[in-house]
Amino acid sequence: MADYPLPQVTELTKPYWDALDQGHMVFQRCNACANAWLPARQECPNCLKADMRWEKASGRGKVVSWVVYHSAYHDAFKDRLPYVVALIELDEGPRLMSNFLGAREALRGDLPVTLVIEREQGFALGKFKAA
Amino acid sequence: MRGKAVIAGVGHTAFGKLPGRSTVSMNVEACRKALEDANIPKDRVDAVFVKTPSSARELMYGQKLTEALGIQPKMNFALDQGGAANISLISIAIMAIDAGQIDVALVCYADNPRSGDRAIYSRPRGDDAAYGWFSTAAGYAMIHQRYLIEHGARPEHFGAVAVACRKHGAANPNAQVRKAITMDQYMASPWVVDPLRRDDCCLVSDGGAAIVIMSAKRARELGVDKPVSILGFGHGNTGWEVPLRPELTSTLAKTAAKTAFAMAGLGPKDIDVAELYDCFTITPLMTLEDYGFCKPGQAGPFVSDGCIEIGGDLPLNTSGGLLSETGMPGMQLTIEAVRQLRGVAVTQVKGAKVALVSNQGGTMHTHATLILGN
């Protein structure tokens, strides 16, 4: 099995990956201004305060855009071609990169999607399928 | 500041594969040629501003370059701002001249990703590599796809940019690729990252380019031949990574253009020739809209029917751009604008009086605009 490019878990990002491991997605919300975002950071990018909490996402969102890889930039993806990387907007607002699972023919702008947890070498990743 | 500074000289290396050449060496060659073109000795230069090479990061790069150039200028720095850096450095040179800090500036750039390390272009994009998110091209492909979604654009609209740039490059003896393509060949070119076809993507190139900036007054005193006047410049920064942008199909290139047009006292209708950063075909299409050459979503029809080819309403990337002349990020576009305004371009646009250049970097993170006149 090819060496998989797993995320580098840090103190900052551990709650995010731990949540996926437990079956749901979380995002950060500012206690001062209620702004919500991903990926994890140490200050709110709206009000700049360092006072935030992790909040559970519904797991629902929509496809903003996507690309299809027909060649692999890493050996771990050679057997998965073609695969889709999609830009997802969660219902709660934060945006993230992920994979779209299922038939590519179903893809369209703003397609409603829902979270699916898939594991790579035991590590939980948050992917999406058509809702 | 309109017209107070000029481009007094331009120079560049061969473009393509230049094995064994360091980026410092290519910068020195380009600077030597630019100084020869301006017909001034190197000891008149009191500022060297250089864009950092993308493929081989080095600390204190500006200082290594001035050592190789054998000069000790008042001002010397290297800027990490991606492909917008060349016009940004030109702007900074003009402001430093206007502030009385310096007299003559060399602005230059060189890189060797073709014969050297090009890993940066296929890099993993942070933790998102776990989802297979790799490469520079994929970021542009994501924007390209959203443009298709929002505007119902056709592949042929992107193809028209590739066909025009390759046609212009085929006429340019200095171009790295001198092979025109048809629309059918464009449509048949293989996927890089769908929706990007191979012919949507710029070249990977070794090379260096440099220009000499001074005040219009100093150029007159030194008897510089055919100085090209700088009428306007402007900047904008979209800044955030692609997934975090509230909007994908328009950028702060708008701000860069608005600032430059205001300084020049001109608008899109006044532009005779445009050199628009074409790292991927989506970039000049969005630039045409953000700069006000056409309305949002209308760049596809705008570039069709030969409008952007020599003889069309807005000749674009007349020496081939990044898609055909050289994939170097940006300086060659300014050099081609200078050739057009001097009347010495291979694909000369008849009566060209005003030229516009766009630079941008990252994945449309950084934007800079330059308007030149003769």
Side-chain angles (χ1 to χ4, degrees):
Chain A
M1 186 184 232
D3 193 25
Y4 196 89
L6 289 172
Q8 302 291 312
V9 180
T10 65
E11 191 180 342
L12 178 66
T13 62
K14 192 169 184 302
Y16 178 80
W17 300 114
D18 282 352
L20 287 174
D21 193 59
Q22 290 153 27
H24 57 271
M25 183 168 277
V26 293
F27 58 90
Q28 286 180 306
R29 189 181 291 283
C30 180
N31 288 323
C33 75
N35 182 36
W37 68 88
L38 280 175
R41 55 183 75 238
Q42 290 171 302
E43 291 82 23
C44 168
N46 182 48
C47 74
L48 314 187
K49 293 191 173 123
D51 176 19
M52 72 279 285
R53 63 181 182 271
W54 286 99
E55 196 168 298
K56 188 173 173 179
S58 64
R60 289 188 298 272
K62 64 179 181 181
V63 172
V64 176
S65 190
W66 70 88
V67 304
V68 184
Y69 285 77
H70 293 275
S71 56
Y73 289 81
H74 188 289
D75 286 347
F77 294 91
K78 275 186 178 164
D79 298 336
R80 302 161 194 246
L81 297 172
Y83 69 90
V84 176
V85 175
L87 200 175
I88 305 293
E89 182 175 303
L90 300 178
D91 279 1
E92 294 84 0
R95 288 182 168 196
L96 68 148
M97 287 298 187
S98 184
N99 292 129
F100 177 79
L101 307 174
R104 280 184 286 143
E105 293 68 30
L107 278 165
R108 59 180 168 80
D110 305 322
L111 177 76
V113 290
T114 185
L115 179 69
V116 179
I117 307 286
E118 278 201 353
R119 289 177 189 274
E120 297 291 348
Q121 301 185 356
F123 192 98
L125 296 173
K127 304 185 178 184
F128 289 83
K129 65 174 184 182
Chain B
M1 278 167 100
R2 182 189 201 273
K4 281 176 82 174
V6 300
I7 295 177
V10 300
H12 62 80
T13 65
F15 299 136
K17 197 168 187 178
L18 306 172
R21 294 290 300 278
S22 72
T23 62
V24 167
S25 161
M26 290 185 285
N27 264 317
V28 170
E29 179 187 339
C31 287
R32 184 184 76 232
K33 287 175 170 169
L35 290 168
E36 286 167 0
D37 186 46
N39 195 26
I40 59 165
K42 72 175 186 180
D43 56 17
R44 289 215 70 111
V45 174
D46 54 9
V48 176
F49 299 149
V50 60
K51 175 191 181 312
T52 54
S54 301
S55 61
R57 300 279 177 198
E58 293 181 55
L59 289 175
M60 300 296 278
Y61 185 78
Q63 290 64 44
K64 284 177 185 161
L65 178 56
T66 53
E67 179 182 289
L69 287 166
I71 56 176
Q72 294 175 310
K74 287 179 185 163
M75 294 181 81
N76 175 209
F77 54 72
L79 183 64
D80 171 13
Q81 200 212 9
N86 291 305
I87 288 179
S88 294
L89 291 171
I90 291 167
S91 311
I92 291 165
I94 295 164
M95 292 187 280
I97 290 168
D98 195 57
Q101 293 292 309
I102 58 168
D103 195 45
V104 175
L106 268 171
V107 178
C108 58
Y109 172 66
D111 204 356
N112 54 9
R114 185 158 184 85
S115 58
D117 186 356
R118 65 177 88 173
I120 189 163
Y121 300 115
S122 56
R123 70 191 180 283
R125 309 283 291 251
D127 283 346
D128 292 331
Y131 299 101
W133 182 236
F134 286 81
S135 88
T136 297
Y140 285 88
M142 195 64 86
I143 295 170
H144 183 133
Q145 179 65 53
R146 184 67 197 178
Y147 188 92
L148 294 172
I149 293 166
E150 289 184 12
H151 298 311
R154 296 201 313 269
E156 289 84 356
H157 294 145
F158 298 84
V161 173
V163 167
C165 290
R166 294 286 289 271
K167 183 177 177 181
H168 299 160
N172 173 6
N174 292 316
Q176 180 175 332
V177 171
R178 300 194 62 196
K179 200 169 130 195
I181 53 167
T182 64
M183 187 62 81
D184 287 345
Q185 286 171 315
Y186 166 81
M187 292 297 288
S189 77
W191 298 121
V192 173
V193 179
D194 177 356
L196 285 188
R197 292 170 167 82
R198 183 197 60 206
D199 292 341
D200 286 307
C201 305
C202 70
L203 308 172
V204 175
S205 313
D206 301 337
I211 69 171
V212 178
I213 306 274
M214 61 179 70
S215 68
K217 180 171 172 283
R218 182 69 76 242
R220 280 193 300 275
E221 289 165 1
L222 294 174
V224 169
D225 190 33
K226 290 186 178 173
V228 168
S229 190
I230 295 165
L231 304 180
F233 54 82
H235 297 86
N237 278 279
T238 300
W240 308 350
E241 282 289 350
V242 174
L244 305 185
R245 293 175 197 170
E247 189 177 20
L248 294 190
T249 58
S250 175
T251 70
L252 274 298
K254 262 185 187 170
T255 308
K258 193 178 170 190
T259 309
F261 279 130
M263 185 188 291
L266 299 170
K269 284 191 168 54
D270 300 307
I271 303 301
D272 298 315
V273 55
E275 307 294 336
L276 303 185
Y277 201 91
D278 55 337
C279 48
F280 298 91
T281 52
I282 180 64
T283 312
L285 289 182
M286 280 174 52
T287 303
L288 286 167
E289 296 174 8
D290 283 332
Y291 277 36
F293 287 99
C294 56
K295 291 184 172 144
Q298 293 304 304
F302 182 88
V303 300
S304 302
D305 305 321
C307 172
I308 55 169
E309 297 183 15
I310 301 297
D313 289 347
L314 185 71
L316 189 87
N317 299 1
T318 45
S319 58
L322 279 73
L323 291 167
S324 192
E325 184 179 32
T326 166
M328 283 176 48
M331 186 71 99
Q332 75 279 20
L333 301 174
T334 295
I335 291 179
E336 170 62 7
V338 167
R339 287 191 293 252
Q340 286 286 346
L341 295 173
R342 285 174 170 178
V344 298
V346 175
T347 55
Q348 184 62 42
V349 174
K350 281 181 191 153
K353 296 280 182 203
V354 182
L356 176 144
V357 188
S358 82
N359 276 184
Q360 67 100 57
T363 311
M364 302 194 194
H365 284 74
T366 62
H367 316 277
T369 310
L370 187 66
I371 301 174
L372 304 175
N374 64 4

